[in-house]
Amino acid sequence: MRQSKVWISTVILLVIALHAVPVFHAGLRKRIWPILDWAMYKDASPPGPIETDRKRIVGITATGQREVISKEAVGLSSFALDRLYAKPMKVGDSSAAHQLVLRLNRQRQDPFVEVRLEVETFTATDTGIVRRENPPITYRVDPTPSR
Amino acid sequence: MKRWIERWNAYWFPETTTRELCLSRIVVVAAQLLLFPPVLEKHINYLTKNSEFIDPQVIISAIAAVFPRETVFTPSVFTTLYWVTFVAGLLTLVGLFTRPSAFVFALCNWIFVAHEYSYGDRHHGEALFCILLMCYAFSPSGDSYSIDALLRRWRSRRAGVPVEGPRRTDTAMWPLKFVHVLLAMTYFSTGASKLIAGGPSWMNGYTLQLYTFNDALNRGMPFGIWLAQQHALAIALSIFTILFETFFFVSVLLPWTAPLFFIVGIFFHLSLYMAGGHDFFQHIVLLFVLLLFLAPAWWRAWLNKYLAILSARWRRQEQAQQPV
């Protein structure tokens, strides 16, 4: 076999073999792009209501302004914003709210003093989509980093 | 052992012209430049709003290990990188210094994607497409349909050497075959993980309804919201999804089935987008490229058949119009 073909064959085998790494090594799973673990939407759901949430984080500033906190304002993707802040806030994790406010206040003149998670629940029924508004989960936070 | 090596070579390194590879280069690079370019504003926003990475990708960790974060991961460096990517992409597209340009273009795109996925989020859409971009740097992707090829012919003419026709080589098909095998692996992995983690319950209809409802509602996809309310259809589509993903590898083992899998795959991803906003546009382009350039005999046969019917019809019409 020509040397170039040996090299190409080696790379092909190596890349194929590397795809086993994210499957078996959880620590590397998120860090070795473009070699990925391709398990997507893998978990099954039992029979039950077809229900989902729509979350929105709202901030209140020291001067009383109300602002919807977008992914652009935080500097993260919507998935990361949801995973790192919205989901923990939904289950009562005040440290996530605190971290979010510190992150946002770094570059602000009018700092946030309160963040609120607003959750709407939507259910698919035989007669259409039913929307339910849940009580907001509010976190009051010290706008300055603790020393 | 010798028989295995022969089989390996017969699969990966058949002797062909470089036309299919080079045409695929034009389609893939044009798609990357026009449809999937890095969004500079997004990267600058990440750089200015984050003082550190959340889950740094290996490529980004490697760069950060050599150069301090504050010198490389800055808006000005990324703006420069963006324009380098753009110029390298144009050069790869027209085929000038094709292989080095393809390497720079692929590497810059890798850096942009890895950077975006170093802030606590990661998706699958770009991975295989970026691997194919890199493959162009290590294959004769500038041998035809390129300025490099025109220059080579011009130099031959000037030197009085007979101009050679399209070269035949055994290293022109491996990039497309490689992407085909990787697609088969990844689809199989996706399908098998559903069967292992979810089991037969994955096809109970409720699973797909819930996933679709969540994605469609949060991404504003009306078709998906409607689909999430159709239980029987959800069961049928779940079974189809498992069958398609798990058995896509058959297209590698039985090449005559490949065009069918490619076409079904294109519609599969289009419907995933319409239902849940899953933007696997790179996979759609890959499947289209494989359909055009890895299985060209199939569509050429159809085209020839159609053209033959059309020309026979024209001849009949002409004969009918001639005076007796």
Side-chain angles (χ1 to χ4, degrees):
Chain A
M1 217 172 10
R2 258 199 352 253
Q3 205 180 1
S4 64
K5 286 202 284 188
V6 174
W7 275 109
I8 293 166
S9 302
T10 310
V11 170
I12 288 171
L13 286 172
L14 186 70
V15 174
I16 290 173
L18 275 174
H19 276 82
V21 175
V23 176
F24 297 110
H25 196 297
L28 285 172
R29 193 166 292 162
K30 290 180 183 171
R31 296 184 176 217
I32 53 169
W33 184 94
I35 306 296
L36 300 170
D37 150 38
W38 285 80
M40 291 179 277
Y41 294 85
K42 63 180 176 18
D43 297 313
S45 304
I50 306 303
E51 206 168 73
T52 191
D53 289 338
R54 185 187 279 166
K55 304 183 206 83
R56 185 166 58 170
I57 305 176
V58 175
I60 311 293
T61 69
T63 59
Q65 299 293 313
R66 185 180 189 275
E67 283 180 32
V68 174
I69 294 170
S70 64
K71 58 181 182 173
E72 288 82 12
V74 183
L76 292 174
S77 70
S78 54
F79 289 90
L81 180 61
D82 189 56
R83 185 171 68 86
L84 297 172
Y85 300 110
K87 274 186 183 155
M89 281 166 69
K90 194 181 169 204
V91 293
D93 182 355
S94 61
S95 69
H98 186 71
Q99 291 299 323
L100 178 62
V101 166
L102 287 184
R103 186 186 172 99
L104 289 164
N105 284 348
R106 272 204 302 255
Q107 295 168 351
R108 287 182 65 89
Q109 297 291 319
D110 183 16
F112 286 111
V113 291
E114 183 182 303
V115 278
R116 190 180 294 170
L117 181 71
E118 297 176 351
V119 183
E120 295 166 293
T121 302
F122 293 82
T123 311
T125 68
D126 290 343
T127 52
I129 307 293
V130 175
R131 178 177 159 274
R132 193 176 71 237
E133 216 164 292
N134 300 291
I137 304 167
T138 304
Y139 297 91
R140 284 201 65 81
V141 283
D142 181 357
T144 53
S146 51
R147 288 166 202 271
Chain B
M1 185 67 182
K2 199 181 162 199
R3 224 179 68 197
W4 281 103
I5 292 174
E6 278 170 7
R7 276 188 182 178
W8 176 270
N9 282 338
Y11 181 75
W12 292 103
F13 307 112
E15 201 177 286
T16 60
T17 68
T18 51
R19 280 183 185 147
E20 272 80 18
L21 176 73
C22 298
L23 283 172
S24 79
R25 179 203 85 226
I26 293 170
V27 175
V28 170
V29 172
Q32 179 64 29
L33 277 172
L34 298 172
L35 305 176
F36 321 121
V39 181
L40 184 60
E41 296 78 32
K42 194 199 278 184
H43 286 275
I44 290 178
N45 191 42
Y46 283 152
L47 291 166
T48 49
K49 299 271 169 64
N50 293 276
S51 53
E52 54 192 34
F53 303 113
I54 295 171
D55 282 321
Q57 298 297 327
V58 168
I59 300 166
I60 298 301
S61 299
I63 296 171
V66 180
F67 306 101
R69 189 189 152 93
E70 58 277 11
T71 57
V72 173
F73 294 95
T74 62
S76 55
V77 171
F78 267 65
T79 305
T80 311
L81 195 67
Y82 177 82
W83 288 109
V84 170
T85 311
F86 185 70
V87 172
L90 283 181
L91 291 177
T92 316
L93 183 69
V94 298
L96 184 59
F97 310 116
T98 315
R99 290 174 65 174
S101 303
F103 181 75
V104 173
F105 184 54
L107 186 66
C108 291
N109 276 297
W110 280 40
I111 292 171
F112 273 111
V113 179
H115 178 247
E116 185 174 342
Y117 292 163
S118 292
Y119 296 99
D121 189 18
R122 182 183 54 101
H123 296 276
H124 295 83
E126 302 90 348
L128 299 187
F129 203 80
C130 283
I131 289 175
L132 179 59
L133 280 178
M134 190 55 93
C135 289
Y136 288 126
F138 297 95
S139 57
S141 59
D143 235 50
S144 317
Y145 306 113
S146 64
I147 294 177
D148 286 342
L150 285 176
L151 287 174
R152 208 168 37 246
R153 264 183 243 143
W154 178 71
R155 280 194 207 107
S156 298
R157 267 194 221 109
R158 257 186 60 178
V161 180
V163 180
E164 50 181 74
R167 195 162 67 98
R168 288 185 74 81
T169 174
D170 54 6
T171 51
M173 286 313 280
W174 73 266
L176 297 176
K177 286 179 175 260
F178 188 34
V179 161
H180 184 198
V181 168
L182 289 178
L183 269 174
M185 271 174 55
T186 53
Y187 281 131
F188 181 77
S189 172
T190 311
S193 66
K194 288 183 179 81
L195 288 173
I196 293 166
S201 325
W202 203 92
M203 290 172 275
N204 63 8
Y206 296 99
T207 302
L208 195 67
Q209 280 179 279
L210 267 170
Y211 281 135
T212 309
F213 192 47
N214 181 49
D215 292 340
L217 193 90
N218 283 294
R219 293 170 185 168
M221 309 301 284
F223 174 68
I225 294 172
W226 173 82
L227 186 64
Q229 297 170 74
Q230 315 303 318
H231 184 66
L233 188 56
I235 293 174
L237 289 175
S238 310
I239 295 168
F240 165 75
T241 302
I242 294 283
L243 287 177
F244 172 74
E245 290 179 345
T246 315
F247 290 102
F248 185 89
F249 75 90
V250 172
S251 66
V252 176
L253 301 178
L254 303 173
W256 62 270
T257 63
L260 179 70
F261 276 100
F262 297 155
I263 292 170
V264 172
I266 290 170
F267 284 102
F268 175 66
H269 285 297
L270 285 174
S271 57
L272 279 182
Y273 176 69
M274 283 165 64
H278 304 283
D279 51 355
F280 277 84
F281 299 129
Q282 284 93 339
H283 278 228
I284 294 174
V285 175
L286 282 181
L287 289 163
F288 182 66
V289 161
L290 292 181
L291 181 67
L292 281 187
F293 304 117
L294 191 63
W298 178 84
W299 63 262
R300 276 181 194 156
W302 272 92
L303 198 67
N304 288 340
K305 195 175 159 186
Y306 180 71
L307 288 176
I309 292 169
L310 219 60
S311 64
R313 194 178 293 166
W314 283 335
R315 267 200 304 274
R316 273 202 302 274
Q317 277 174 354
E318 265 178 29
Q319 281 168 358
Q321 282 167 2
Q322 274 171 6
V324 183

